[in-house]
Amino acid sequence: MTRPFEKLLPRMEELRDLQAVINLMTWDQETYLPKKAEPARAAQLSTLQGLYHERLTDPALADLLASAADEDDADRRAMVRALAWERDRAVKLPQALVRELAQTQSQAISAWKQAREQRSFAVFAGPLGRLLRIRREQADAYGHGGERYDALLEGFEPGMRVARLSPVLKALAQGLVPLVKALKAAPAPPDVLQGKRFPFDGQWRFSLRLLADMGFDLEAGRQDRSVHPFTGGLHACDVRLTNRVDEENPLSSIYGAIHEGGHGLYEQGFHPAHHRTPLAAAPSMGLHESQSRLWENLVGRSAGFWRHYFPLLRAEFPDALGDVSERAFYRTVNRVSPSLIRVEADEVTYNLHIILRFELELLLLRDALPLEDLPRAWDDRMEALLGVRPPHDGVGVLQDIHWAWGELGYFPTYSLGNLYAASLFKAAARELPTLDADLARGALLPLRDWLREKVHAQGYRYSAEELVTRVTGRGLTTTDFIDYLRGKYAEAYGLPL
Ligand code: ZN
């Protein structure tokens, strides 16, 4: 007799293959798709997504999952649990609500664009109100214990709850606000890259070199160009990174490559026994982001890293960097300055942008903040947290596209990524005594191998916080991140912090 899991496995593989095709077509849409093919591609994607939904919600799959739930093997049980979780959420969401959301999204996006042009939130308020109503209904459909935000957060950060997250983000703000104030009062390091030119070819070559040194396998992945960098994971042997080049600012392509490379290493590092199963996945968006942030900030903005790579970068751009010192370059990549725009924020101020959004989203979903008061609430919080006040809504409440998509609950994953990254890096430094020396000679593989064993190859065996606890000895905390910032910026700015 065939055991239930043997019947379930081909279903799991089929779903993963469908997802891979969807990811491939999305990657293609953002990179090479001819302009006239856009409507056809949208239709193809919609068809495939419909097919995926149909296969996922098939009642026969529910029976197979139920009968395989008590497998002896722990990995198999984890596969069943992960797929059952995904199926359960898909089944609970009424299709009418999905359709209504899609329609409202497209209205909201065009209203948001118009509102940004006119720098006036009022134009966007109506569609945003409708999106919020739909999201509240969705949260209720998923089910929650009284906090709607939990039901949406669960989709990005399974297991995380507002009751756990809120005090952590509050503590984070308490640690960051005085730090930002102190750094703001100090003279900012000069930007030694301003007014220089960095030709495309050199930047592309350098970014590929960084990826290769990080241990990103370019025979199991690629780097291509897109407007916004992203990582598309089709399979551990086919990971698509994208990047962009700004000839006036080489940091855009350098940190684009390192950040997406961090995501890419995660995707390439899943255990071969988990390929084409639900275990070949990160347990949360926050943990995925921890890998990109760890490489981007804790490695890629460290003094040791640039001891090795600055001479190589200067050799690539002798005209622009000939008279720039390694120290001046290091201080340039670590300039801190409170600004209005999240996507341009440095690693110290970034989380304050997230905390502001989290607090407002929570109030909106609780129906505790009238929409007409939202721009004012945004500006007031901005001033309290970062000490800057937007001159108009275009650089304030209207700056992100997320809310125009009706995407709520996603922003905190960025901060979780930063916090997990600092804790994981600290554990790596403890277990790899030569880590600093390795980074300073461009030996990045020992760190990649450690992350592969401790994080990537674990896939979706555990929840994000459970995995971090297993690796670091404790769960979500702000201490490691704040300690890291204090130590680094006290040295870089010559301040007692
Ligand atoms: Zn990322």
Side-chain angles (χ1 to χ4, degrees), residues 259-260 263 289 292 414:
H259 181 100
E260 299 311 327
H263 282 305
E289 194 66 8
S292 55
Y414 293 119

Side-chain angles (χ1 to χ4, degrees), residues 112-134:
W112 172 74
K113 284 182 183 159
Q114 203 190 331
R116 261 163 69 108
E117 263 167 42
Q118 298 177 13
R119 301 176 170 187
S120 162
F121 176 75
V123 179
F124 178 52
L128 180 59
R130 289 195 287 281
L131 284 171
L132 282 167
R133 180 186 50 73
I134 295 169

Side-chain angles (χ1 to χ4, degrees), residues 229-231 259-260 262-263 285 288-293 296 410 414:
F230 68 95
T231 297
H259 181 100
E260 299 311 327
H263 282 305
M285 302 297 285
H288 221 306
E289 194 66 8
S290 79
Q291 298 304 292
S292 55
R293 295 290 183 163
E296 178 187 353
Y410 185 82
Y414 293 119

Side-chain angles (χ1 to χ4, degrees), residues 211-212 215-222 239 265 268 448:
L211 288 172
F216 181 79
D217 183 353
L218 286 155
E219 289 183 353
R222 311 174 40 91
V239 179
L265 288 179
Q268 287 187 341
R448 189 216 52 181

Side-chain angles (χ1 to χ4, degrees), residues 3-4 65-73 77 80:
R3 291 163 52 102
L65 285 166
S67 51
D70 53 358
E71 271 285 327
D72 293 332
D73 180 74
R77 276 201 309 277
V80 171

